[in-house]
Amino acid sequence: IGTNGAGKTTLFSILCGFLRADRGSIDVLGGAPQPERLRGRLLALPQDAILSREMAVRDHLEFLAQLQGMTAAQARSDAARVLELFGLHDLAERRAGALSHGQGKRVGVAQAFLGDPELILLDEPTAGLDPRNAHELRQAIVSERGRRTVVVSSHNLQELEAICDE
């Protein structure tokens, strides 16, 4: 938790290996934060994730799953799983460019749950969502307890208390 400019997004970028720390050292899942070493083990939702506007939601999720190394069949199956987990079946065939901000945000969070990552980083996952969608998203995140570690950044302490168990 922290104010704007506190470094939450920067820290997540360092943990993912997208940025280098200018001093000190960091250990992520037993080693240095190198994207090649973390592929499939660590997934992240950047604060302002952008979906491919022309792709259907299902196609987008399947494409990202294949980038993790899944076969086409595995990608189809896992995309269906996260569509179900996040209540997105009604949006599966819709082009991402036709989604509302909140719908796009939910798809972005869903993509962070593709595969079987050990660690998921969610940077302000409910920012801009209406109360109902924010609640549903928090419930989906909580439903994954015990399966993986999810680290959430937010400005909202009440939200973090509803999601986090540590």
Side-chain angles (χ1 to χ4, degrees), residues 72-85:
Q74 290 169 326
R76 269 191 305 281
S77 175
D78 211 47
R81 180 185 63 82
V82 298
L83 287 166
E84 178 70 28
L85 177 63

Side-chain angles (χ1 to χ4, degrees), residues 106-144:
R106 287 172 46 215
V107 172
V109 173
Q111 74 187 24
F113 285 80
L114 287 166
D116 193 25
E118 297 168 54
L119 176 61
I120 297 174
L121 306 176
L122 301 176
D123 196 2
E124 300 188 36
T126 61
L129 293 182
D130 63 59
R132 182 181 62 83
N133 279 316
H135 174 75
E136 289 174 4
L137 189 59
R138 285 192 296 271
Q139 292 305 104
I141 293 167
V142 168
S143 76
E144 290 291 294

Side-chain angles (χ1 to χ4, degrees), residues 3 32 53 61 63-64 84 98 105 111 114 124 131 149 151 157:
T3 60
R53 297 184 54 79
L61 293 171
F63 173 72
L64 292 173
E84 178 70 28
K105 190 74 161 189
Q111 74 187 24
L114 287 166
E124 300 188 36
T149 299
V151 178
L157 182 57

